[in-house]
Amino acid sequence: MTIRVVVADDQELVRSGFAMILDVQEGIEVVAEVGDGAAAVEAVERLAPDVALLDIRMPVLDGIEACRSITARSTCRTVMLTTFDSDEYVYEALHAGASGFLLKDVRRDDLVHAVRVVAAGESLLAPSVARRLIEEYTAATARPPAARELSARRLEVLTARERETLLHLGRGMSNAEIAAALVVSEHTVKSHVGNVLAKLGLRDRIQAVICAYETGLIAAGATAGAGVPGARGVAGGAQGSPSGE
């Protein structure tokens, strides 16, 4: 099955470069190149691609708003591209529904890998913008105890084992690592992950990381466990497909 991609960037050379890299890959077809966020939204509605690569800073409609619109209106998955290694951009993009976040200096192979991973229903962050940035953002925007307590009530729908699973997800652990920690099979972990995402209304494991910090399950700045989702790392499946490691 061919992965259909829309590339949106206001810099023609950058846009064309990414498109050329992807279009020569087996099983990937770039169906449109556009120069602004509004055109990206229109292209997604018209062509129904599997993945949209969106620059953060674009005219007419920026990448964050384009991502939010695309996520709300279609099943197209989005990967944000930027030269800015910024906490704010990462957090906003994730909450807008982005499935991936890469810096524009990404290697050719990692760009292709990101498109394939996201198209498969998984999520991905560049190593330099992973959980460290989420920790720093949540610490810098700490809410009053009452607000944190209200947020924590979201977790009341989870069983004790599902809460443990969310805790490990927040630490960036893979299904295999969670299985070892809980002394259960990976199949059981996949079931727990699916339940956590469904009960909390989370799109994917990256949003589970955010939820773990926002609800206070993990304290910002706390020592974390295993590796975090990265360009070559863990990036679990979306709500309907929690099988990724």
Side-chain angles (χ1 to χ4, degrees):
M1 178 179 175
T2 299
I3 301 171
R4 293 160 51 81
V5 181
V6 166
V7 180
D9 194 299
D10 61 334
Q11 298 181 27
E12 183 178 359
L13 289 179
V14 173
R15 182 172 73 241
S16 298
F18 282 129
M20 289 177 61
I21 290 171
L22 294 172
D23 220 17
V24 298
Q25 305 299 318
E26 182 178 356
I28 298 179
E29 176 188 4
V30 176
V31 296
E33 297 178 42
V34 297
D36 63 73
V41 173
E42 187 278 331
V44 169
E45 291 180 345
R46 177 168 50 87
L47 300 170
D50 303 294
V51 177
L53 297 183
L54 305 174
D55 184 23
I56 289 285
R57 294 190 174 185
M58 291 188 289
V60 186
L61 191 69
D62 66 40
I64 299 294
E65 290 305 317
C67 173
R68 184 171 288 113
S69 179
I70 288 170
T71 301
R73 300 181 184 182
S74 73
T75 59
C76 178
R77 310 271 288 175
T78 57
V79 177
M80 310 307 295
L81 293 165
T82 183
T83 57
F84 303 97
D85 189 353
S86 163
D87 298 12
E88 180 180 1
Y89 290 133
V90 175
Y91 197 80
E92 288 187 5
L94 293 178
H95 273 276
S99 298
F101 195 105
L102 298 174
L103 301 182
K104 285 187 178 179
D105 62 0
V106 62
R107 296 186 308 165
R108 177 192 303 257
D109 289 348
D110 286 341
L111 174 65
V112 176
H113 173 74
V115 169
R116 295 192 190 282
V117 164
V118 170
E122 301 178 354
S123 305
L124 179 146
L125 292 181
S128 63
V129 293
R131 189 186 60 243
R132 171 180 58 83
L133 298 183
I134 298 174
E135 289 187 11
E136 293 174 359
Y137 188 91
T138 53
T141 58
R143 292 165 295 169
R148 177 60 65 88
E149 181 180 352
L150 181 61
S151 182
R153 290 178 186 171
R154 293 179 61 191
L155 304 185
E156 292 178 357
V157 299
L158 303 180
T159 65
R161 186 46 62 94
E162 288 166 356
R163 285 173 66 100
E164 288 184 271
T165 300
L166 177 60
L167 175 66
H168 292 313
L169 288 174
R171 290 171 173 164
M173 296 171 69
S174 68
N175 284 356
E177 291 166 333
I178 296 173
L182 300 182
V183 195
V184 297
S185 69
E186 287 189 51
H187 177 77
T188 299
V189 171
K190 292 176 183 179
S191 178
H192 288 328
V193 171
N195 290 339
V196 168
L197 299 183
K199 287 183 177 181
L200 297 179
L202 304 174
R203 181 181 177 90
D204 50 43
R205 292 168 74 124
I206 290 179
Q207 289 196 342
V209 173
I210 295 175
C211 179
Y213 283 98
E214 285 189 331
T215 58
L217 190 61
I218 296 178
T223 300
V228 297
R232 289 292 184 186
V234 178
Q239 181 170 326
S241 178
S243 60
E245 302 236 332

